[in-house]
Amino acid sequence: MTSTQTLLRTADVDDVEGITELHTQARTAYYAAGGVPTAELDSPEAYARRGEGWLRAVRADDMTVVCAEQAGELAGILMAGPPYEPDVDAETVGQLYQIHVRPGSWGQGVGGRLHDEFVRLLRDASLATGVLEAWARNSRAQGFYVRHGWRPDGHHRPGPGGADYVRMRLHLAQQGLR
């Protein structure tokens, strides 16, 4: 198997269309595999909302959006920032909102590079813990995060298709990542 170098860079406004397309492809792959009808996932309205969300994130002072490129093409994206939930202490915790990898790039180390970047962002901000939510039916994502040291913390919230989002935590000191 030939290894392709993955380059990381901060996203900018010019990346939003490509990010939105990649996000749409990735989320359609895992939600459709989990039983959510494709029509609910790739409608023009949903696509537009995703694009608006990515534009806000790229412009936000408190969020970080990172693009992963292979051979000059967008292969993955990362969005991180302060925690959403009020029960999570923003003084010690950063949230991994999203890692998405283009389905054709799965298994090539893109997600791992983006995860390493999230850990670096936590360390640079002197945060001890990461938090994320994974859709309960997305076993691929949950397996990825478990392999990287994340564990469910018992918090759930409703998600699409009648399946919850499961909150997971990564404690840097426990993983030897601090």
Side-chain angles (χ1 to χ4, degrees):
M1 182 169 135
T2 304
S3 177
T4 303
Q5 185 177 16
T6 302
L7 302 173
L8 302 182
R9 63 175 177 77
T10 301
D12 63 34
V13 172
D14 292 336
D15 294 311
V16 169
E17 182 63 31
I19 289 171
T20 304
E21 178 60 32
L22 186 150
H23 182 194
T24 299
Q25 290 175 14
R27 75 186 307 273
T28 298
Y30 64 79
Y31 280 133
V36 176
T38 305
E40 293 179 27
L41 302 171
D42 59 9
S43 72
E45 297 81 15
Y47 188 91
R49 281 191 306 275
R50 277 191 295 284
E52 291 164 5
W54 283 106
L55 182 59
R56 279 191 306 276
V58 166
R59 290 180 170 165
D61 292 333
D62 64 344
M63 292 185 175
T64 300
V65 179
V66 175
C67 292
E69 293 183 342
Q70 288 185 328
E73 297 292 325
L74 186 62
I77 47 178
L78 155 77
M79 185 194 324
Y84 284 141
E85 299 291 334
D87 69 321
V88 178
D89 180 8
E91 296 295 318
T92 60
V93 179
Q95 182 146 353
L96 174 56
Y97 302 130
Q98 304 182 54
I99 287 180
H100 294 290
V101 175
R102 187 175 307 282
S105 297
W106 290 351
Q108 297 179 17
V110 176
R113 284 290 312 277
L114 290 167
H115 184 270
D116 291 349
E117 180 67 5
F118 175 71
V119 170
R120 186 193 66 76
L121 292 168
L122 288 176
R123 282 196 312 257
D124 288 355
S126 299
L127 299 173
T129 304
V131 66
L132 63 79
E133 291 183 325
W135 189 48
R137 291 187 192 153
N138 189 347
S139 58
R140 181 183 194 87
Q142 287 187 51
F144 171 85
Y145 292 120
V146 166
R147 285 190 305 278
H148 284 85
W150 296 79
R151 299 294 177 259
D153 72 359
H155 182 270
H156 298 263
R157 72 175 176 89
D164 285 346
Y165 287 107
V166 176
R167 190 167 68 193
M168 302 176 82
R169 288 182 186 258
L170 175 70
H171 300 284
L172 297 186
Q174 290 177 354
Q175 300 301 316
L177 299 171
R178 228 56 227 186

